[in-house]
Amino acid sequence: MPTTKDTKQLIIIGNGFDLHCDLKSNFNDYFQSRSSKDSFKQVTDLNQTFKELDSDAIKSYLLEKADIPRDPVQGYYLESYDFTPDKISFWDYYFCSHRKNNYNWSDVEYFLTDFFGKTSSDSKNIFKELETDLNSLLSVKNGQTKSPQFNPAQYEYEAVLLCCCNYDLSKHSEQYLSDFLFNELKKFETNFKKYLQPLADDDHYKTDSHALMSKLNSTDENSSFNLLTFNYTIPDLVELDCHVKKNIHSSLNKDPIIGIDSSNLSPQEPAFRFTKTYRIMNLANETSDMLLPKSIKLITFYGHSLAEADYAYFQSIFDYFDIYKENITLVFYYSVYDPSKALEIKSNVFNSVSKLLATYGDTFHNEKGKNLMHKLLLEGRLLIEKLPE
């Protein structure tokens, strides 16, 4: 095996790599597969039921779950929905309720981030509102107050927790809610693993992934490359000179990880345990197992959305290699999957790369950061190219 001195290229891939290999690994593929099962039909049926119920009816049901006298709800029986026997999670419902906006796993990460009010300075913290409302409901249940103070915008998710996921209101606290939702996320990840594993074991994926990795490998015959993949799959690397490979979000051989960016989050916040930083080994430690040797001169990206949830990883890599000063070349490859959208696809890639480098430049806190992208272009160290056929 070549030494790390020979390793000149780092290849970074995302879900677009698997999609290029015809692996049905995106969000809608997963949900379409699950929705074909009668048990999962509960999710879509319940979503429609909530659209037909008014807020007073849902509030009445929530009071019933807390053993608080209320007016009977006529015509709707939320008790008939129970996710637990079929291992349907709270997050299955939450993500499905946003499905019209979900196409990539980066969108799933966005809405997970949004749940904790971290997508913008004025976004609502659904977790905090749920915690407050459930605490109010518990106070009435325990006879501490007479009437609960509810936020009608969260009735739907409160009902899903209490009705469908068997959330134990008597144990409610901020910590209990956080623990419960964290375990529900692990349930969601396990279900996705069961869906994807047989697809990734197919010979067609092995053949296609091998061919695509061969195209991305730009090193000469005397040097190896390292692979950092954001996917849960492992490409076929037989006879390819891959020195070190790493599934940063774990793999199907273990337990897949879905998480949010830790930037601007305090470890004391409930959302922190849902971050990728909390859930995986810090990327900086990977230098010890030679994933990021100083011999690297070329960093190749393909099939990655470059979503903000992963900025922390890229910033760590850029810092480690000091891309402003050192002779490091960044190549962003893209594919045109629809000829009628060629210009749109190219424009989206350019915008994503520009946003990533501009955000990274802001971390410099000086004038150098503002001209980073310009400098890389002038020196021929930033390339955005269509992947060769």
Side-chain angles (χ1 to χ4, degrees):
M1 177 178 291
T3 66
T4 56
K5 291 182 180 180
D6 299 320
T7 307
K8 299 178 182 179
Q9 183 184 18
L10 173 67
I11 299 176
I12 300 176
I13 60 175
N15 190 46
F17 178 97
D18 282 349
L19 295 178
H20 186 93
C21 299
D22 294 326
L23 189 73
K24 294 186 179 300
S25 58
N26 68 16
F27 180 86
N28 278 334
D29 289 329
Y30 166 68
F31 267 99
Q32 286 173 6
S33 172
R34 294 213 71 190
S35 60
S36 65
K37 300 176 181 178
D38 291 339
S39 59
F40 196 77
K41 196 171 183 293
Q42 289 188 78
V43 173
T44 52
D45 287 350
L46 181 60
N47 186 253
Q48 182 60 39
T49 296
F50 281 128
K51 292 177 181 178
E52 298 171 3
L53 282 170
D54 60 34
S55 59
D56 287 339
I58 302 176
K59 179 179 180 180
S60 181
Y61 170 74
L62 291 173
L63 293 174
E64 178 190 26
K65 293 297 290 185
D67 299 322
I68 300 168
R70 47 74 178 174
D71 295 327
V73 180
Q74 300 296 329
Y76 296 96
Y77 301 93
L78 297 179
E79 291 86 348
S80 64
Y81 296 98
D82 186 1
F83 289 177
T84 52
D86 301 305
K87 298 183 179 180
I88 300 170
S89 74
F90 170 84
W91 298 107
D92 280 303
Y93 183 86
Y94 175 74
F95 294 138
C96 194
S97 68
H98 295 89
R99 186 176 175 184
K100 63 181 180 296
N101 298 312
N102 280 319
Y103 299 98
N104 301 308
W105 286 105
S106 58
D107 299 318
V108 172
E109 294 169 344
Y110 173 88
F111 283 106
L112 180 60
T113 304
D114 193 58
F115 183 84
F116 293 98
K118 298 300 180 180
T119 52
S120 66
S121 58
D122 59 350
S123 58
K124 295 188 301 181
N125 189 331
I126 299 175
F127 174 87
K128 187 60 180 177
E129 292 179 355
L130 277 176
E131 193 277 326
T132 300
D133 283 4
L134 291 171
N135 191 56
S136 178
L137 194 61
L138 180 61
S139 295
V140 176
K141 178 182 176 68
N142 292 337
Q144 297 169 322
T145 56
K146 293 183 178 181
S147 178
Q149 300 300 312
F150 282 147
N151 181 346
Q154 307 312 329
Y155 282 170
E156 179 180 349
Y157 299 134
E158 290 158 15
V160 170
L161 281 171
L162 294 171
C163 163
C164 307
C165 300
N166 293 337
Y167 184 84
D168 191 342
L169 183 63
S170 65
K171 298 179 180 178
H172 172 68
S173 67
E174 182 182 77
Q175 186 62 50
Y176 180 74
L177 178 61
S178 177
D179 291 343
F180 188 90
L181 291 175
F182 187 73
N183 287 330
E184 290 290 293
L185 184 60
K186 290 195 288 186
K187 186 189 297 184
F188 180 88
E189 293 164 347
T190 297
N191 288 332
F192 180 66
K193 174 182 177 177
K194 291 178 179 178
Y195 161 77
L196 191 59
Q197 184 72 71
L199 301 180
D201 289 339
D202 189 271
D203 288 340
H204 290 294
Y205 175 72
K206 294 178 181 179
T207 299
D208 292 346
S209 64
H210 186 278
L212 185 50
M213 282 302 306
S214 297
K215 288 184 179 181
L216 295 174
N217 179 16
S218 301
T219 58
D220 59 54
E221 61 182 13
N222 295 317
S223 62
S224 62
F225 66 91
N226 288 350
L227 174 65
L228 177 62
T229 173
F230 284 72
N231 301 329
Y232 309 123
T233 54
I234 300 175
D236 185 359
L237 301 170
V238 175
E239 297 183 355
L240 293 178
D241 204 356
C242 182
H243 185 240
V244 177
K245 61 179 181 292
K246 176 68 178 180
N247 292 73
I248 194 65
H249 294 154
S250 191
S251 68
L252 294 175
N253 296 333
K254 299 177 182 177
D255 296 306
I257 289 172
I258 298 170
I260 64 178
D261 185 20
S262 60
S263 300
N264 303 317
L265 268 177
S266 165
Q268 283 70 46
E269 294 183 66
F272 191 79
R273 71 184 307 185
F274 293 82
T275 64
K276 295 173 181 179
T277 300
Y278 176 87
R279 304 194 63 194
I280 64 175
M281 184 181 299
N282 190 292
L283 182 61
N285 291 334
E286 296 298 338
T287 58
S288 63
D289 71 2
M290 310 314 292
L291 177 68
L292 306 177
K294 290 296 186 179
S295 58
I296 294 290
K297 298 300 178 185
L298 172 65
I299 304 177
T300 302
F301 296 79
Y302 180 75
H304 200 290
S305 64
L306 306 180
E308 291 185 18
D310 294 320
Y311 275 13
Y313 299 129
F314 299 135
Q315 290 176 359
S316 295
I317 292 173
F318 295 163
D319 279 345
Y320 181 74
F321 288 114
D322 195 359
I323 64 169
Y324 188 91
K325 293 181 180 179
E326 300 299 324
N327 186 28
I328 303 291
T329 299
L330 307 180
V331 179
F332 295 84
Y333 282 123
Y334 66 92
S335 293
V336 176
Y337 52 84
D338 183 346
S340 67
K341 297 181 179 179
L343 290 178
E344 178 185 347
I345 293 170
K346 182 177 181 179
S347 176
N348 288 339
V349 174
F350 271 71
N351 289 338
S352 296
V353 172
S354 298
K355 185 178 178 182
L356 169 64
L357 293 176
T359 302
Y360 176 60
D362 289 341
T363 66
F364 289 10
H365 303 297
N366 57 36
E367 291 299 316
K368 290 197 306 183
K370 295 180 180 180
N371 69 7
L372 171 63
M373 188 169 177
H374 184 64
K375 183 177 189 294
L376 292 175
L377 286 169
L378 281 177
E379 296 175 0
R381 296 195 291 118
L382 173 59
L383 303 173
I384 304 174
E385 300 180 348
K386 180 182 175 182
L387 184 71
E389 297 296 334

